Amino acid sequence: MRTIGLIGGMSWESSVEYYRIINQGVRARLGPLRSAPLLLYSVDFGPVEQAQHAGRWHDASAILCDAARRLQAGGAEAIVLCTNTMHLLAGDITAAVPLPFLHIADPVARTARQQGLRTVSLLGTAFTMRQPFLRALLEAQALAVLVPPEEEQDALHDIIYAELCAGIVRAASRDVYRRAIDALAARGAQAVILGCTEISLLLQQEHSALPLLDSTLLHAQAAIDFILDGEG
């Protein structure tokens, strides 16, 4: 098996899900006592969050590139960045270390194509919904991408940072997301991309009228494929 380096902590609530999904996937394929060779560098999210909201992306980049270098030094053979928003800095990380970078948009776009989808909606932080770093990659795969109006984006963003990143799951907040999904369905969305790794802590398929494409799950499954490539 090949060793994956995980850059986590943004937030650690979703990083736990990566660890669980990857290990469960390896066990399912190889047997009940098998587990994944993983290195995890979990950053302190506080300084990262402050840099995000202040627009100091160069400071956030320095933190993530340092994490990637430490994982390379520890023997990682690929990097998985356990957050959608910080893929805004994917180019900085790939320039910092000469390791394969498993981009979160790739398995999401591949799954959407396999399902024959043409129009998808993207939910995530305001950074992810407003900036093109994920949306452009999806659109390059012939997908039309819809996002909520800005006022609704702000409400979804606040739920992520004030609640989900702190491990708080509220039914009232789930209803906010469900109303956003219903509005996107009315605009022609065929599925919803959960484009923040914390949203799956709040929303499961039974909560959505549209199919969900969970970026956390799909990204972790891509990591499993990399780990097991050539196994057996």
Side-chain angles (χ1 to χ4, degrees):
M1 290 190 284
R2 296 191 286 183
T3 301
I4 288 279
L6 305 173
I7 304 178
M10 300 167 285
S11 68
W12 68 257
E13 298 284 346
S14 62
S15 302
V16 169
E17 292 302 297
Y18 273 87
Y19 186 81
R20 178 184 62 80
I21 294 167
I22 293 171
N23 276 295
Q24 285 180 343
V26 168
R27 181 170 64 189
R29 295 196 200 181
L30 298 185
L33 299 183
R34 303 297 297 274
S35 53
L38 298 172
L39 298 174
L40 171 63
Y41 191 94
S42 187
V43 305
D44 178 5
F45 190 36
V48 175
E49 181 274 332
Q50 292 169 10
Q52 289 174 337
H53 286 95
R56 293 185 285 103
W57 294 101
H58 59 286
D59 290 343
S61 176
I63 293 170
L64 299 194
C65 289
D66 176 67
R69 293 187 187 101
R70 290 171 185 266
L71 289 169
Q72 180 189 13
E77 296 172 76
I79 298 294
V80 169
L81 180 59
C82 304
T83 160
N84 281 269
T85 296
M86 300 312 289
H87 275 72
L88 186 152
L89 301 173
D92 292 2
I93 295 170
T94 58
V97 294
L99 298 177
F101 181 85
L102 306 188
H103 199 291
I104 200 166
D106 292 335
V108 173
R110 182 166 57 250
T111 301
R113 292 197 313 270
Q114 290 170 347
Q115 294 182 7
L117 301 174
R118 295 183 178 180
T119 303
V120 296
S121 55
L122 175 63
L123 301 181
T125 67
F127 306 115
T128 299
M129 291 185 284
R130 291 175 186 169
Q131 299 191 49
F133 60 93
L134 284 186
R135 191 172 63 247
L137 294 175
L138 298 169
E139 290 171 343
Q141 298 297 321
L143 293 168
V145 182
L146 305 178
V147 296
E150 285 202 4
E151 182 177 342
E152 202 166 35
Q153 292 178 23
D154 290 338
L156 302 175
H157 177 95
D158 290 344
I159 289 169
I160 291 168
Y161 280 89
E163 298 176 20
L164 300 180
C165 287
I168 299 168
V169 176
R170 292 186 171 133
S173 297
R174 182 179 294 118
D175 290 340
V176 174
Y177 272 80
R178 293 177 78 168
R179 288 193 294 271
I181 290 171
D182 290 344
L184 290 161
R187 290 168 54 193
Q190 298 171 295
V192 180
I193 296 171
L194 303 184
C196 172
T197 53
E198 280 79 26
I199 299 178
S200 59
L201 304 175
L202 180 70
L203 284 180
Q204 290 79 48
Q205 187 57 64
E206 64 264 27
H207 303 132
S208 174
L210 291 177
L212 299 181
L213 301 178
D214 180 359
S215 63
T216 303
L217 175 62
L218 296 173
H219 201 200
Q221 288 174 338
I224 295 166
D225 290 339
F226 182 90
I227 290 168
L228 296 181
D229 183 40
E231 173 71 15

